[in-house]
Amino acid sequence: MICKNCDYEFNGKYCPNCSQSTKANSRLTFKNIIADFFDTIFNLDKGFFFTFWNLLKQPEFIVQGFINGKRKRFTNPVKYLIIATAIQALSESIIMFEEQGIPFTSFSFLSNELNQNMHLWNQSLTLDYPILFGIINLLVWPIPFYFLFKKLKYNIPELIAVMMYIYGTVVILIQIMAFIHNPLTEKNISIELVSFLATVYMIYVLLKFYRRGSISWRIPRIIVGMLFLFVFRMFILPFTLAYFFPFN
């Protein structure tokens, strides 16, 4: 058979040169499109749900496997995050879930004007610029852990991949909780509960990911890294934006 994707001659179900299935050599039909979709999402060997389930059950299996080169079996972290974001958008449109800004506490050592601008930026980041906010988080989150666990020799791109898996899974878990919580209470999930869920899951994944070294060596470093992220999110980021780009 001649692969229509790369013109390589081969035998078997998949082209050894580009990995395209022999099914792609047939004429495109609605059945092909639907089958490809369900194969990508539900495939038990490398589908989205397989990746999501294992990120809950044994996250180190996914993140370590992907970093160590076993990438055909799992959903790519970028694709995983995009699917999670699409699920969030669909969920919010169905249950009319309203995003809430993270509560802001003013700082007594700053002026009232600066505090007010920090509060406005704090709200705007989560309500008006969620994608930009997510990108900033994904780029900044790995930095403290890179230095705190430097002897384990993970680089920044590898840690960004880990954070993408964490971020995407938290987004999906929040939507699942919203589908249960909102109809029962007719209220949105509190931001405190969302923050608690995200923190617990992140610590859980990081403990599984950083398996080398004693618990007494790993836990303090994870706590320091989480504290840095909290300070960055609640003070450094809104302060920087409010100082250089004030609303008034």
Side-chain angles (χ1 to χ4, degrees), residues 101-119:
I102 296 176
F104 179 76
T105 302
S106 61
F107 298 92
S108 58
F109 54 87
L110 298 176
S111 67
N112 290 334
E113 182 182 358
L114 191 54
N115 269 309
Q116 179 62 20
N117 273 283
M118 288 175 67
H119 169 69

Side-chain angles (χ1 to χ4, degrees), residues 200-213:
V200 169
Y201 180 72
M202 188 171 182
I203 292 174
Y204 165 68
V205 175
L206 291 173
L207 279 172
K208 292 283 190 175
F209 177 66
Y210 293 117
R211 290 179 296 174
R212 286 179 285 170

Side-chain angles (χ1 to χ4, degrees), residues 57-172:
K57 186 175 65 171
Q58 46 181 356
E60 72 281 8
F61 171 65
I62 300 294
V63 293
Q64 292 284 1
F66 188 83
I67 287 173
N68 292 330
K70 297 179 180 179
R71 296 170 190 170
K72 292 290 288 184
R73 195 174 182 189
F74 313 124
T75 301
N76 175 284
V78 177
K79 182 187 290 187
Y80 182 81
L81 185 57
I82 291 172
I83 294 173
T85 304
I87 291 173
Q88 179 183 28
L90 179 62
S91 171
E92 291 177 1
S93 68
I94 293 174
I95 62 177
M96 303 301 290
F97 176 77
E98 294 181 6
E99 290 284 354
Q100 304 174 64
I102 296 176
F104 179 76
T105 302
S106 61
F107 298 92
S108 58
F109 54 87
L110 298 176
S111 67
N112 290 334
E113 182 182 358
L114 191 54
N115 269 309
Q116 179 62 20
N117 273 283
M118 288 175 67
H119 169 69
L120 292 173
W121 267 114
N122 186 64
Q123 295 294 105
S124 185
L125 283 170
T126 51
L127 300 178
D128 301 328
Y129 306 105
I131 295 177
L132 176 61
F133 173 56
I135 292 172
I136 292 172
N137 280 333
L138 289 172
L139 294 178
V140 172
W141 284 2
I143 295 174
F145 297 101
Y146 171 78
F147 289 102
L148 289 166
F149 291 91
K150 195 169 184 179
K151 78 174 192 176
L152 299 184
K153 299 181 179 179
Y154 291 109
N155 62 32
I156 292 293
E158 289 170 339
L159 295 179
I160 288 176
V162 175
M163 294 303 174
M164 283 183 176
Y165 279 130
I166 292 175
Y167 196 86
T169 303
V170 168
V171 166
I172 297 168

Side-chain angles (χ1 to χ4, degrees), residues 16-66:
N17 188 50
C18 70
S19 301
Q20 179 163 282
S21 170
T22 54
K23 295 178 182 178
N25 274 15
S26 59
R27 188 170 184 177
L28 187 64
T29 63
F30 281 114
K31 181 180 178 180
N32 297 144
I33 296 173
I34 295 171
D36 284 344
F37 169 77
F38 280 98
D39 182 62
T40 299
I41 301 298
F42 296 103
N43 188 299
L44 295 179
D45 288 330
K46 58 180 179 179
F48 171 78
F49 287 114
F50 173 81
T51 303
F52 171 71
W53 174 245
N54 280 282
L55 281 168
L56 296 179
K57 186 175 65 171
Q58 46 181 356
E60 72 281 8
F61 171 65
I62 300 294
V63 293
Q64 292 284 1
F66 188 83

